[in-house]
Structures are given as C-alpha cells and as structure tokens.
Amino acid sequence: MFPKFMDWLDGFLVDEGARGIVRAALGLMSFGAVLGVLFGNTAVRAGVMIATILVVLALMVALTSDRRRLAGELEEQKHLVRAYGDALWEQHTRNFRVLSWEQTAYIEGNGDTREFIVIHAVIEGQDARFLRLRFGPGWPQPKRYQRKVSVNVRSVAVDGRAGTRFKVTKDWMPDGRISVMSHFTTPAAVGTDVRLRMEWFWPGKSVPLTIRRSPDDFTFRFGNPVERAVYRVILPLGAKVYWEPIGFRIGDGVATVDVDEQGERTQITVDVQRMPVSRRVGVQLELKK
C-alpha cells in the first residue's frame, strides 16, 4: 500500500507541486466550514479540522521519508561517479601539462572564503574528458558546512573573456576534502590549450585563522608538473599577519613570498616557479592580535 501511495504522491507533486498539498488542505478545511454552517454543528468542523491535520502530517512524514531515500540514492550515485572518475584519472593523469595556476582567496572575518582559480594547461598524451581537482579546508570542519559549499567552473578565452560553464560533479571524501570533476563538452584533443576559471564559496573554511586565532596553512600540491603557481591570500579588513614558509626556504629558488600591508586588506602572495611535484608548498599564517 505504501509504495502505491508514494507513486501517487510523486505524480501529484510533479503535476501540482507542493502548493497542491496546501490547496488540498485548505479545500478540506473550507469544506468542513461549509458543513458546519449547514448543520450548525461545531463537532463537524472540529472533526474535519482534525482529519485535515492528520492528512497533512501523514503527507509530511511520507515526503520526509521519500526525500531521505532519494538523498541516499543520490549520494551513492555520486560515490560511484567519483570512483570511476578516479580510476580513469589515475590512468590519464599525465594528460595535463599545467602552464600556470593562479589562485586567489578572499577571507572574511567570520572565516567564510571565496576563492578564484585560473588554470592554463595543455592536453598531452591522449584526449581528455574531464579535469579532476581536490580541495580541503585543512581542519576537521563539521559536515553542516558542506551543504553550503558552491562550485562554478567556466572556460576562459585567450583575451580573458569568461566563457560558458562546465558541467561539474562533486563529491565529499571521507577526509573532508571535496573532489571536483569538470567535464569537457567534447573530449579535449591532444595539443588543445585549456583555460578555465573555477570559483567557489566555502563557508567557514578559514575559521581556525579568523575565529580561533590559531596558525592556519594555505598550501597547494600537484601530482603533475606546474611551470608556475601563484597563491594569493587576501585577509579580512584591517588584519595584519605573521607568516612562515611551508615546503621551501627563503632564497632556495623554489618560491618567493610578498606581503603587502599598504592597502585596506593585507595580501600575501606565494609565487612558485617550476612547482615541485607532490610537495606541499605555501605559507602558514597567524593573525596579529
């Protein structure tokens, strides 16, 4: 009986939407009011009102149960897409030669972070169907933040003009990182120049730095060679910072760090030439009191 009811409810919601349930409930209450007027019996009105409330509660329970079922199925599908994508990526990970990576993070006082990444790469080896990237907050962030993370990827023309959006599939990994797969409309052929711009909004990503006032790492790591990688961190209004290099020493030729405190918002820039493969490079920051 319940599966048949859910099939009927699915069809009803498709045809009428959630407002259809509200209209049905209002109709039942109006019908009860008419009966009460005709028969002058408050018991009739009360009975219809109670029946309406029970029907609405039953619908809410059914909708909640079905929503949980659908959410569980969606998560399973996401995990499967990530698993198959990871298998393909491991086979073809050398297809991308990254010429430049420019990442800019704007941090707000509450830890919310908006980041922009502009990537310029060349397809080598064989045609590519997608680009996989992974990012993490760097601390055990509660899962409630994950629902509010948004990711958008667009192509970029040679002159810097923003193009159309990529289809993106994303999934959360057990360690709290997000896996983002940006799918090409058609496979990118060998020799293709790929330019794209990724933007994300990540609530609370920098809470350790801004709220807890503890040292926080801002680093990147690549499995492929990257000719040049730049990471800019723009702090909240009026904030000043202590910093330490991660993955290199000042003067060793791997990277340079520039701290600009002249404007309203301090900007820290890490510039890496010939990014070392599989090495975490960046800076550790701590806000001054």
Side-chain angles (χ1 to χ4, degrees):
M1 179 65 71
F2 185 74
K4 291 182 179 180
F5 171 73
M6 291 308 304
D7 289 340
W8 169 84
L9 183 59
D10 285 341
F12 181 79
L13 287 175
V14 169
D15 294 336
E16 301 294 335
R19 288 179 296 181
I21 294 178
V22 177
R23 287 198 297 268
L26 291 175
L28 285 172
M29 287 188 288
S30 300
F31 178 68
V34 171
L35 289 180
V37 171
L38 291 176
F39 297 101
N41 192 337
T42 56
V44 173
R45 292 197 297 270
V48 174
M49 182 69 71
I50 292 172
T52 302
I53 293 173
L54 291 176
V55 168
V56 172
L57 289 175
L59 288 172
M60 291 177 62
V61 170
L63 286 172
T64 301
S65 175
D66 199 44
R67 185 177 183 277
R68 288 176 179 173
R69 176 182 62 81
L70 292 174
E73 291 179 358
L74 178 60
E75 287 303 312
E76 290 181 2
Q77 297 299 323
K78 285 183 177 180
H79 294 334
L80 285 174
V81 170
R82 175 165 61 85
Y84 287 121
D86 288 348
L88 287 173
W89 183 257
E90 293 304 322
Q91 295 177 13
H92 309 308
T93 184
R94 299 301 177 187
N95 285 359
F96 291 86
R97 179 164 60 92
V98 181
L99 303 181
S100 66
W101 173 290
E102 294 190 28
Q103 183 170 349
T104 304
Y106 292 87
I107 301 174
E108 303 303 330
N110 61 356
D112 290 353
T113 304
R114 190 176 299 277
E115 299 202 30
F116 303 87
I117 304 175
V118 179
I119 303 170
H120 179 200
V122 175
I123 306 299
E124 296 181 338
Q126 58 183 306
D127 297 353
R129 295 182 177 273
F130 63 89
L131 173 67
R132 189 200 71 183
L133 300 172
R134 289 175 173 174
F135 307 94
W139 63 287
Q141 190 179 41
K143 289 188 176 181
R144 67 176 183 273
Y145 289 98
Q146 296 179 357
R147 295 190 297 271
K148 300 178 182 179
V149 174
S150 61
V151 180
N152 184 28
V153 182
R154 290 186 180 276
S155 62
V156 178
V158 177
D159 60 2
R161 173 183 56 83
T164 56
R165 283 188 299 175
F166 281 69
K167 289 184 178 179
V168 173
T169 53
K170 57 184 185 295
D171 185 37
W172 291 94
M173 303 173 66
D175 61 4
R177 290 184 299 162
I178 187 172
S179 177
V180 180
M181 296 169 59
S182 305
H183 303 267
F184 297 106
T185 304
T186 57
V190 173
T192 300
D193 219 34
V194 176
R195 299 171 189 265
L196 58 86
R197 182 177 187 267
M198 174 178 288
E199 173 185 350
W200 78 64
F201 173 66
W202 196 316
K205 184 174 183 288
S206 302
V207 161
L209 177 71
T210 61
I211 303 300
R212 299 179 181 175
R213 297 282 172 157
S214 60
D216 197 3
D217 295 348
F218 293 83
T219 62
F220 37 32
R221 180 174 59 184
F222 301 95
N224 291 19
V226 177
E227 295 187 12
R228 186 189 180 203
V230 177
Y231 199 160
R232 299 183 186 89
V233 181
I234 300 176
L235 299 177
L237 187 66
K240 305 298 180 182
V241 71
Y242 301 105
W243 64 274
E244 289 289 341
I246 295 177
F248 68 99
R249 294 192 300 266
I250 300 299
D252 65 2
V254 174
T256 61
V257 179
D258 177 70
V259 180
D260 183 0
E261 297 182 331
Q262 300 304 312
E264 293 183 339
R265 301 182 65 160
T266 297
Q267 176 175 305
I268 301 93
T269 303
V270 181
D271 194 332
V272 188
Q273 300 289 340
R274 294 179 297 279
M275 179 78 183
V277 176
S278 299
R279 185 198 298 186
R280 199 164 64 102
V281 176
V283 290
Q284 184 178 80
L285 303 179
E286 181 184 359
L287 296 187
K288 295 181 178 180
K289 305 298 184 183

